[in-house]
Amino acid sequence: VRDGAAMSLRIVRTVAELRGAVARWRRAGQSVAVVPTMGALHDGHLRLVAEGLKRADRVIATIFVNPAQFAAHEDLGRYPSDEVGDIAKLKRAGCHLVFAPPVAEIYPAGFATTVRLAGPAKAGLEDSHRPHFFDGVATIVAKLFISSGADFAMFGEKDYQQLLVVRKLAADLAIPITVIGVATEREADGLAMSSRNFSMNGPGASGWASMPIFSNRSFVSVCASTSAVSPLILRTRSGGVVPGAIRPY
């Protein structure tokens, strides 16, 4: 569809509202794409919306900071948030509906089911230093796929291991959705666009630009085909170095 910008953008907070909206589109014979996000949107997210509009009649963006993918010592409480600004950006981008649920809607009292992963989720990259991460991602993504009933899901290639995990999830659970990878959007200095970039400003911020830019796609392929992966030394944005796997935030 190309009429998204001319339509009002609807915001819903419950799964029931989401499913009701999608059911109306289905009765009209319309296809649906979903763009899962945690908010604090940048041009990379908006490109996902644009790619969704190329494939589907209606596009849903979800805004939900998923507590299940954060460990206790991580930055859940500091994760950037700007719902009003995000909604304005999505409206300009032609998005049709925003699903922005509270935590209790996704994880109500008594919630007891988690998706547990192997395969690409155990490639020795993100999972090596955040072992909780992909189970949390898989659980919320499965819920969003099932709740939206979308035909297409749009994910950036910046987090390539995550993209592989999501594709494997959809295939293994027989969720009838096509997961589309979209090329990474970058800052002027070459840094991959990310919501967390807002917290990496200040003295030494240009340090990331001097780090060689590797392809997540190539690196994950190498790691998936070998039983041992040597640690890499990465230059931090403050100018220091840390061991770890490549993840160009």
Side-chain angles (χ1 to χ4, degrees), residues 6-105:
M7 300 177 62
S8 61
L9 175 62
R10 184 180 177 192
I11 295 89
V12 300
R13 306 287 181 180
T14 69
V15 172
E17 291 176 300
L18 173 62
R19 287 177 169 165
V22 173
R24 287 188 290 274
W25 294 339
R26 293 298 191 197
R27 287 194 291 272
Q30 295 171 324
S31 56
V32 180
V34 64
V35 179
T37 86
M38 294 207 303
L41 304 185
H42 50 71
D43 287 349
H45 295 112
L46 302 183
R47 176 158 181 194
L48 299 182
V49 172
E51 292 298 320
L53 288 166
K54 294 177 182 178
R55 292 168 171 80
D57 299 302
R58 293 290 181 263
V59 173
I60 301 164
T62 71
I63 298 176
F64 181 70
V65 180
N66 178 33
Q69 67 193 63
F70 289 81
H73 66 281
E74 293 181 340
D75 60 344
L76 174 61
R78 302 187 306 277
Y79 196 86
S81 176
D82 180 18
E83 185 177 287
V84 172
D86 290 344
I87 289 170
K89 291 174 183 177
L90 290 168
K91 185 173 183 178
R92 289 194 297 270
C95 186
H96 300 91
L97 186 144
V98 173
F99 178 49
V103 172
E105 178 69 14

Side-chain angles (χ1 to χ4, degrees), residues 167-189:
R167 283 177 172 160
K168 184 67 169 154
L169 164 76
D172 286 354
L173 298 184
I175 301 175
I177 192 168
T178 301
V179 178
I180 305 293
V182 178
T184 301
E185 290 284 310
R186 296 191 179 276
E187 307 284 1
D189 64 0

Side-chain angles (χ1 to χ4, degrees), residues 155-171:
F155 282 82
E157 291 184 345
K158 172 177 71 72
D159 300 311
Y160 198 73
Q161 186 181 11
Q162 176 175 273
L163 175 60
L164 297 184
V165 166
V166 170
R167 283 177 172 160
K168 184 67 169 154
L169 164 76

